[in-house]
Amino acid sequence: VSSEQTSANLKIIPSENFAEINKFKEKDPEVEIFSLDANDLISGIKSVAYAASLSDVKPEISSIFIYQKDSQLVFVATDSFRLAEKKIKLNSGNSKNFSFIIPVRNSQEILRIFEKTAGPVKIMVSKNRLAIKSDRVYFTTRLIEGTFPDYQQIIPKVFLAEAALDRESFLGGLRLSN
């Protein structure tokens, strides 16, 4: 590459030296495929990622658990002290419920890559891989092969007290207390 004032040589590697991306076959019965608005995907991940453990000791809790329940996609993360759950309504219900666990570090990459994407993305999930496809990007990653803790058993079914607060006043009070 050269211009009037400078010249540079770029060292490149032939594309044959890179591994090919093993893309999903969409007609494979082992692959769950659904569409989701990119903003909903980003919102779901952002809403729970802060609660995921940063330690790699237990990969299941240093991840985001995503599963379908009825017509909702549920995002969950925990570090065993905090728990975050976000439910997003799916436009098209799948015939069967599914679940998968994304490493939290990979979810940060998903946020970075798809944050400015508008419109739907196609999500393809197999036993150990995830692919997210938009008009311009094909992102693929390995999934955690394990079992996410049964977090629903620790959520109380009955509450002794209930309070209704004005959201803005409550948030203002929290800000002042910091």
Side-chain angles (χ1 to χ4, degrees):
V1 177
S2 59
S3 68
E4 289 180 15
Q5 299 172 355
T6 188
S7 175
N9 289 325
L10 302 177
K11 303 231 185 245
I12 61 172
I13 299 173
S15 62
E16 296 83 34
N17 291 1
F18 290 93
E20 283 200 33
I21 295 176
N22 190 6
K23 293 190 177 184
F24 281 104
K25 294 175 179 61
E26 294 188 20
K27 293 182 172 45
D28 186 345
E30 298 290 318
V31 176
E32 273 304 316
I33 300 173
F34 62 98
S35 290
L36 184 66
D37 188 76
N39 291 329
D40 288 341
L41 175 66
I42 297 303
S43 171
I45 292 173
K46 275 185 176 179
S47 297
V48 301
Y50 72 90
S53 174
L54 300 177
S55 168
D56 290 333
V57 175
K58 292 183 179 177
E60 294 84 10
I61 66 169
S62 61
S63 304
I64 297 176
F65 179 49
I66 301 174
Y67 67 96
Q68 180 188 352
K69 183 176 180 185
D70 303 324
S71 63
Q72 293 183 323
L73 195 62
V74 183
F75 296 76
V76 183
T78 186
D79 62 1
S80 72
F81 295 103
R82 300 176 293 182
L83 174 68
E85 178 187 65
K86 170 80 173 183
K87 296 179 180 177
I88 294 177
K89 188 172 182 348
L90 284 173
N91 293 335
S92 59
N94 286 358
S95 57
K96 61 181 180 177
N97 292 339
F98 58 86
S99 64
F100 54 96
I101 305 173
I102 302 175
V104 73
R105 288 193 176 117
N106 299 24
S107 71
Q108 300 303 325
E109 290 300 315
I110 293 170
L111 289 176
R112 189 180 59 75
I113 292 168
F114 292 98
E115 196 162 32
K116 292 186 169 66
T117 302
V121 292
K122 184 184 284 189
I123 300 175
M124 297 164 276
V125 183
S126 71
K127 184 177 129 189
N128 59 1
R129 277 189 343 160
L130 166 77
I132 304 172
K133 182 180 175 189
S134 70
D135 291 339
R136 300 180 344 190
V137 177
Y138 185 89
F139 175 86
T140 185
T141 184
R142 293 185 64 81
L143 297 174
I144 298 293
E145 294 182 40
T147 305
F148 195 79
D150 185 9
Y151 73 95
Q152 292 177 339
Q153 71 182 1
I154 64 168
I155 298 175
K157 306 292 184 240
V158 178
F159 297 95
L160 299 176
E162 187 174 319
L165 303 169
D166 178 60
R167 182 179 185 270
E168 294 304 317
S169 297
F170 180 67
L171 289 175
L174 287 176
R175 284 187 197 105
L176 287 174
S177 68
N178 285 337

